[in-house]
Amino acid sequence: MAVYKQFNTNEVVISPFKANKRFRFEGSQVSSSDVQIEYYQSQQGTYLSGSFDTGFVTIQDGVNIFHSIKQLYYSNYLTSSLGDPLSTRSLVPGPRGPQGQNLGFDTYVGNVTGPNFDNFLQSSLPQDRKFAQFSASVAPIGFAGTDTKVSESVTVAWDSTPNSLNITFPAGNNPDLVAAGINDTYVLDNVTWVGTPSSPFDLDTGVAQAPFIVGAKISNTGNVLNSNLLANTSTAPISNYNYTGNGTGGEIQIITAGGVISEIEIFTAGTGYKAGEEIEITVAQLQAQAPLNTFSGGPAKFVIQASDLDPRTNIIDGSLLVPNGVNPNVATNKRGLTLRDNNLVSFVAAGGAGNFTLNYVLAPRGPSVISIPSKLFGERVQPSSFQLEYTSSLNFTRSIVEDDGQGNLIVTQSNVSGTPFFSGSVGQIFYSQGIAVIIGPDSGSLREFAHNVGIKNSMNPNIVSSSIAYSSSISIDENQYKCVVRNNEFLNTTNPSALGPAGELSKSNNQLFSSFDAGILNLAASANNVYAIQSRNIVGDVKATTFYIFGDRATTTTIGQQYIVELESSGGKNLQYVGYDGNENGTLNSLGQVQFNSTGSAVGIAKGFCDAINSSEGFNGQISASLQSTVSGLDTVKLTQDQAGTIGNTFGIKNPCPDEVFTPLDPDGGLTFLSITLSSASICLLIVNLVISPPANPFNVVIGSGVTLINVGAVNPTSPSE
């Protein structure tokens, strides 16, 4: 049974509840499969696939990262850390002609462009976003423009060459990078050799770019080029002729023999030349160089061979070294240089004593970016909860970065002894996206933080010095309902046996009711009362036996309509039995209902109901009806059949009212409801239905004043499940 009440809007309150959870990850925990926090190092410059990979799990290109954060967060901060000036372009009219015509001397002054983007400001307070340093073509010292023009060098002696990939410095003779002001914001640009007679850098001239061997001669493999030169030409740069490579600085002389140009001779070594590249010389080029001489034929072609190139070079690119700098573990007590595995250069023993010069440049990198996946921060990172800890492996500066609740990242830095020496803004955090951008500048190389900890499958041990912590935030809506029941509401029953139409008491298979012991119930001695019914489910093969208990309370106004009982046999036959004021029990009325006399005593009514059930117009054996003397003094009818489920159950008992609306009987009238028993071979369940007799209080289904609940067990229980 259920009742419903419509809520008003002021009776429903939805209150959001903010739930926060604290997270902390140390070292490489950020890259585990259930975390996947990314540290990205952005990179200025031109995109070249595979050149600037960054990240732990989802690898991205550093150039793409740079342009993404620039567009999303800093496009209004390209000229000033406090924001670009507004567009203030104004027209300054120029002089006009005699007729007032425009002579074209109008000029415009002021900015043409200005802030046009939503850069996800985290508060209404001004923010210091130091991104302008990355917009300059030449940045000041300490900043990271696209062309830093900042370099530092240190010199260290060569000691030995243990193998083709490693060179050592003398024990204790280590390059002092800190003293030279070289920190993590610098990268090793190249290494040069100063010594005699030859360097330990050995090039594979078959594939590597290299200088020429001075004096090497290259023969013509092209067309015959005739010349009336009596001697070799003067020296000329290779760039004067058609050259297919990228080498620079080389100079040649053209050799003529027997009126034919047969060879060229290397006069200046230059650098960056490769085997297989070609130098082509035409008549026009020679004529421009020697206009008084005569040339014909050609063009002549000269192909550079590996043997024409010098395998010893005095300079190697820093990108060929691991890890782009000094290796502290070449030997037990020696530092040195270690080559990446490559096919361009190898290390050999030097031809004599010499020194290396390590040339560093300030890297044109962009900010470091920390990306927290949304599954770990919910709706947003809780303001004032973010913290990053990192210790530089170069100068051992310890940095603790925290957000100020307004979207700014504030760092506190201390030296190796723990003494704080700097505090200030180094970037921004964007709470709703889980993005932190570290711009710098600072002394702890935070801007290079993501580069220093490495990438997927190549994490630097320096990552163990880092940790990240923050709190997530998610809203949970709490719904509060205030249900107000007025004095005039819910005073009527919702019991379907009282209010519902016939057929709606119970039609569900095996849907029975709580039981009580009919043997201890003396209905004849019971006062008029109200009995509440409790429903229950019984699982199993239930065969129905039904008791009907009639009351001796008919009046002249209720005869013919006091009882309407609907039964269904095991064969599916469905009949309604209706009380009337005649004695022809078992006859049919015009509606097809089986009639029985309901004008006498309880015993008489029960006998008439039995006769109607057993008559030829009734069930005639499909359901058998008999009077019982064990309950209530012979006013009980027992119906018996062998089918399981709801077959034979009473579906409805009603007292018809106008328009078939069932309400409690007016106190001036009277209504007796039937009592129903459902039983099986092992369990006998008796339900006494609701009984109201005049005068009566309004119907109530809740146990209270005038309401009795009878539930005292089962008759002859033999099943342990009962």
Side-chain angles (χ1 to χ4, degrees), residues 626-656:
S626 61
L627 288 173
Q628 300 295 306
S629 60
T630 59
V631 181
S632 306
L634 300 180
D635 61 358
T636 301
V637 175
K638 179 180 180 181
L639 306 181
T640 304
Q641 65 173 351
D642 294 330
Q643 294 300 312
T646 60
I647 304 300
N649 292 356
T650 299
F651 290 155
I653 313 133
K654 69 179 181 179
N655 178 41

Side-chain angles (χ1 to χ4, degrees), residues 41 75 93 170 178 219 303 378 384 397 437 454 483 492 536 545 557 681 709 713:
Q41 181 65 59
S75 50
V178 175
S219 299
V303 181
S384 301
T397 295
V437 182
C483 183
N492 301 327
R536 64 177 295 177
T545 296
T557 60
L709 172 64

Side-chain angles (χ1 to χ4, degrees), residues 399-577:
S399 302
I400 300 177
V401 182
E402 298 175 318
D403 78 288
D404 64 355
Q406 304 296 326
N408 300 302
L409 295 178
I410 309 300
V411 67
T412 300
Q413 293 182 320
S414 55
N415 58 25
V416 67
S417 63
T419 303
F421 63 87
F422 175 76
S423 179
S425 175
V426 289
Q428 283 72 45
I429 182 171
F430 303 92
Y431 301 112
S432 61
Q433 286 134 350
I435 297 292
V437 182
I438 301 177
I439 297 176
D442 66 287
S443 301
S445 310
L446 285 174
R447 194 191 70 223
E448 309 287 326
F449 155 73
H451 168 76
N452 297 334
V453 299
I455 63 172
K456 180 180 181 181
N457 300 326
S458 185
M459 284 189 180
N460 191 297
N462 195 32
I463 196 172
V464 301
S465 71
S466 66
S467 68
I468 183 173
Y470 63 93
S471 294
S472 65
S473 178
I474 189 170
S475 295
I476 301 174
D477 288 336
E478 292 182 335
N479 296 279
Q480 300 179 14
Y481 301 91
K482 181 181 179 182
C483 183
V484 178
V485 180
R486 297 179 176 85
N487 293 336
N488 62 342
E489 294 182 313
F490 304 111
L491 299 178
N492 301 327
T493 182
T494 58
N495 189 332
S497 66
L499 301 181
E504 292 187 2
L505 179 62
S506 175
K507 284 191 175 181
S508 300
N509 288 338
N510 297 329
Q511 180 70 38
L512 307 180
F513 294 96
S514 293
S515 62
F516 58 85
D517 189 346
I520 66 172
L521 177 64
N522 186 354
L523 294 180
S526 298
N528 294 332
N529 216 329
V530 178
Y531 298 96
I533 300 175
Q534 294 179 320
S535 63
R536 64 177 295 177
N537 290 322
I538 293 180
V539 179
D541 185 25
V542 180
K543 297 184 178 181
T545 296
T546 305
F547 286 86
Y548 287 86
I549 302 171
F550 293 88
D552 186 8
R553 301 179 178 91
T555 67
T556 56
T557 60
T558 61
I559 291 175
Q561 56 187 348
Q562 184 177 5
Y563 301 110
I564 298 179
V565 180
E566 182 177 336
L567 299 176
E568 183 178 359
S569 72
S570 59
K573 182 177 180 181
N574 187 286
L575 290 174
Q576 281 190 348
Y577 292 82

Side-chain angles (χ1 to χ4, degrees), residues 117-118 120 142 145 166 251 284 292 315 322 326 345 372 462 559 636:
F117 302 94
D118 178 9
F120 299 98
N166 289 281
E251 294 181 319
L292 300 179
I315 183 171
V322 177
V326 175
V345 65
I372 304 172
N462 195 32
I559 291 175
T636 301

